[in-house]
Amino acid sequence: MSKTLRALLWSGPLALGIQASTVLAHDLQYTTSSGQAVVIKLFYVDNKPFSFEGYEITREGDKLPYQVGRTDGQGHIAFLPDRAGKWHVKAISEDGHGLDFTITTNAAAGIEGSDKPAYERYGRIVVGIAVILGVFGLMSLYLRRKKT
């Protein structure tokens, strides 16, 4: 096997790994809790808060936002729903990172449900399968190289 081909085979997975780590570092996550108010915490995968970024909350069926503002220094949003229903939350930073999700509340500002994006529900499974396939691919290349 030529040196150029060997270098190309090794540089591809390395570049993919570096690219994947930078993408995951900017993935935005959220958690919700409720009491007297609904509190949403937005944060990146590395637990860095989504600080001082803009958001808007709109009740399902309404055209105008119910609440507009910026997250606090810890990435929190707090709002008091005036009735039970579905609330659309949209938070986007100036550099384009953000989330767009829906939560369902009851009349007492309690959270009844939340839709998590598909990548958040299945992301770890996909990454696990990719790592396993990558390891077996590298092993196959190594074993094939020894035979020749």
Side-chain angles (χ1 to χ4, degrees), residues 41-56:
K41 181 178 180 182
L42 301 171
F43 54 93
Y44 294 101
V45 173
D46 61 357
N47 285 328
K48 180 181 171 196
F50 193 64
S51 303
F52 307 112
E53 300 294 352
Y55 73 87
E56 67 179 42

Side-chain angles (χ1 to χ4, degrees), residues 1-137:
M1 184 181 297
S2 73
K3 288 182 181 181
T4 307
L5 182 59
R6 202 173 323 158
L8 183 62
L9 287 173
W10 281 104
S11 65
L14 180 63
L16 268 175
I18 291 170
Q19 185 67 22
S21 68
T22 59
V23 168
L24 289 176
H26 289 85
D27 185 24
L28 190 62
Q29 308 286 314
Y30 73 95
T31 61
T32 58
S33 62
S34 62
Q36 293 180 343
V38 174
V39 178
I40 302 166
K41 181 178 180 182
L42 301 171
F43 54 93
Y44 294 101
V45 173
D46 61 357
N47 285 328
K48 180 181 171 196
F50 193 64
S51 303
F52 307 112
E53 300 294 352
Y55 73 87
E56 67 179 42
I57 300 171
T58 308
R59 184 180 15 243
E60 186 176 58
D62 288 354
K63 292 183 181 179
L64 296 175
Y66 177 77
Q67 182 173 316
V68 176
R70 291 192 170 273
T71 61
D72 67 6
Q74 297 300 311
H76 292 113
I77 298 171
F79 79 103
L80 299 167
D82 59 352
R83 64 178 185 221
K86 290 188 177 190
W87 300 86
H88 184 75
V89 180
K90 184 177 180 181
I92 298 179
S93 66
E94 292 177 7
D95 62 356
H97 296 100
L99 274 177
D100 197 351
F101 60 95
T102 303
I103 61 173
T104 305
T105 63
N106 60 26
I111 297 172
E112 292 184 347
S114 174
D115 70 337
K116 295 279 187 179
Y119 64 84
E120 192 172 322
R121 289 181 289 199
Y122 305 113
R124 290 183 179 173
I125 295 170
V126 171
V127 169
I129 291 170
V131 167
I132 291 169
L133 291 175
V135 167
F136 282 112

